[in-house]
Amino acid sequence: MKFRIFFIYINIFISFNLYADNNVHQWSEQEISILQTLSIDSLAERPDEQSNAFTQNHDAIALGHQLFFDSRFSINQKVSCASCHVPDKYFTDGLKRSKGVAEVLRNAPTIVGASYNTWFFHDGRADSLWSQALGPLEDRSEHGASRSYYVYQLHSDAELKNAYEKIFGDLPNVTDQKRFPKHAGPVKDRKMKKAWQAMAKDDRAAITLAFVNIGKSIAAYESQLKPAASKFDHYVRAVKQNDDKQKNKLFSQQEAQGLRLFISKANCIICHSGPLFSDSEFHNTVTPPRSLKNYDWGRYKGASSVLRSKFNCFSQYNDAKDKNCDELTYIRRDKEHTIGAFKTPMLRNISKTAPYMHAGQYASLKEVIKHYNNPPTTKIGQSSLLAIPITLNEAESAQLEAFLHTLDSAVDADKRWLVPPRH
Ligand code: HEC
Ligand code: HEC
């Protein structure tokens, strides 16, 4: 009798475990099609960057690589794009808020895979990768100089000048300092702005065109940086092939359960969708504001900035043959959907890019998950999170976190793009 009970017990134990094993790696047809939408295999071969005719130009990529790492392109000669987008930190800086010439108000996102975005910056105030690059160059706290200064820097280095002219044609002859003051641009600095306004219209246009080309070269370089396939992507391939051995080898039960939560009960997929785990849209996730007095309006201001931008899709610098600017034409500007809303960030390699959120509000993924599990009651704007809380228990929170780690991967790029150019 005793033996029999033991036997039944063992049987239940075994079948329970078998059941759990199978169950966690067993996905319905519908789930499999959802998983495939998240897989890197559904990322287009090349991002659609028609607004930049030089995206695939090898010389432009190489020039962009030089400029990305060159700290001469800043007012104090100390800041380059790579100061805040550090290759070893998956092209972020590990700081809550970045420091250039001065501290900035936001956290540096990665640029790996950024070429696939529709909008750039946390508030989407740029609508192309090349126009994004012009932002930090003329920002007071980042590179801190002006467009005429950058053209001057290009012009004064024979190698850079040659590289530029081979791609884009002659640089304006900035040696004539009467026509081309060294520090001039439509920036906040009053002296630089005044010098800019005093320049002839054609000279301003020539400087601006060269400045735009700097942005297009840097964007061509950035487009080379893509996320490689992660453990998650290999798992989805195994799921698709129904390869039980591979499934078990690739994902622990915990990771598989975390993935299931991600696409179901935890609702993450509502916004973190597609192969980069971002819907490219703006949402108010009631992240505690950096400052209530100096509130960051997010998309509310970002939307009007991109419409005002001289470098947006409508501009003469857009290289596309058939300009399609629907994103701008139908841009959402209503307060309800834009105040305190920020762009859904990509989640690939998320474990390597702490701290999190637009101003680095959270130090760890644990804190982020805790936020979604128990969101603060919003003070400003309207929450985009579902009214019904997701209520994950501790084990589930750990599963979700374990899953997020499966999105780690290397950067898919030629090795030389991951280090500064030789000089
Ligand atoms: C002082 C640090 C700093 C410097 C220097 C800097 N960045 Fe950034 N970068 C940031 C921060 C912070 C953000 C987010 C800013 C925002 O949303 O307002 C950002 C955003 C971006 C984005 C947008 C990514 C996305 O998904 O929206 C790209 C691309 C980028 N930077 C590329 C560059 C390039 C190219 C340069 C050099 C020309 C550069 N950055 C210089 C800190 C910096
Ligand atoms: C309503 C849309 C939405 C939902 C649902 C959502 N997110 Fe987010 N997520 C965002 C937005 C928007 C941000 C950026 C917020 C900010 O910067 O303040 C973000 C930020 C994050 C970040 C930080 C990324 C970074 O680089 O700083 C992580 C991690 C994250 N979400 C994971 C999750 C997980 C896990 C879930 C499910 C529990 C989830 N999100 C649900 C929209 C959403």
Side-chain angles (χ1 to χ4, degrees), residues 102-310:
E103 190 179 46
V104 304
L105 299 177
R106 295 203 182 132
N107 175 268
T110 184
I111 57 166
V112 178
S115 56
Y116 289 91
N117 289 346
T118 310
W119 305 106
F120 302 83
F121 293 116
H122 292 290
D123 56 8
R125 65 184 182 279
D127 63 352
S128 67
L129 192 59
W130 65 264
S131 66
Q132 187 289 328
L134 305 178
L137 289 170
E138 285 197 324
D139 184 287
R140 262 202 297 205
S141 309
E142 297 187 60
H143 296 244
S146 63
R147 60 190 67 174
S148 86
Y149 177 76
Y150 300 124
V151 178
Y152 183 92
Q153 290 296 62
L154 265 181
H155 198 275
S156 58
D157 180 307
E159 225 174 277
L160 288 181
K161 180 171 184 282
N162 281 342
Y164 176 95
E165 292 187 336
K166 193 175 155 209
I167 310 162
F168 300 108
D170 285 352
L171 271 172
N173 185 2
V174 292
T175 48
D176 183 351
Q177 293 244 332
K178 273 224 175 68
R179 272 175 64 198
F180 296 103
K182 193 167 169 185
H183 296 284
V187 293
K188 287 228 170 89
D189 183 281
R190 279 179 53 208
K191 256 172 102 178
M192 294 183 201
K193 197 174 186 169
K194 237 177 124 187
W196 179 248
Q197 284 160 348
M199 282 172 67
K201 199 170 161 231
D202 286 352
D203 291 344
R204 284 201 305 243
I207 293 285
T208 297
L209 182 62
F211 184 52
V212 163
N213 290 336
I214 288 176
K216 287 183 178 168
S217 310
I218 295 177
Y221 161 67
E222 291 177 295
S223 299
Q224 295 298 306
L225 311 171
K226 298 172 190 175
S230 64
K231 199 164 81 165
F232 163 74
D233 302 297
H234 294 300
Y235 181 74
V236 176
R237 287 173 196 162
V239 168
K240 207 179 145 205
Q241 288 156 4
N242 205 9
D243 184 338
D244 283 330
K245 212 173 135 201
Q246 273 297 322
K247 283 195 269 184
N248 275 291
K249 205 171 122 196
L250 285 162
F251 259 27
S252 67
Q253 298 228 348
Q254 198 188 31
E255 289 163 340
Q257 270 153 345
L259 170 56
R260 183 161 271 116
L261 288 169
F262 189 92
I263 64 166
S264 59
K265 184 179 162 187
N267 291 328
C268 313
I269 196 164
I270 294 179
C271 306
H272 296 282
S273 56
L276 295 180
F277 291 79
S278 166
D279 60 0
S280 289
E281 283 301 329
F282 303 86
H283 307 278
N284 183 335
T285 52
V286 292
T287 309
R290 183 196 74 244
S291 146
L292 272 180
K293 219 174 83 197
N294 206 351
Y295 185 69
D296 190 334
W297 296 94
R299 183 57 171 167
Y300 182 62
K301 288 204 171 157
S304 44
S305 299
V306 69
L307 284 170
R308 256 185 288 122
S309 167
K310 296 269 191 294

Side-chain angles (χ1 to χ4, degrees), residues 344-361:
T344 310
M346 170 177 89
L347 294 185
R348 289 188 174 273
N349 275 290
I350 194 70
S351 84
K352 297 178 191 164
T353 59
Y356 303 109
M357 305 305 197
H358 64 275
Q361 283 95 334

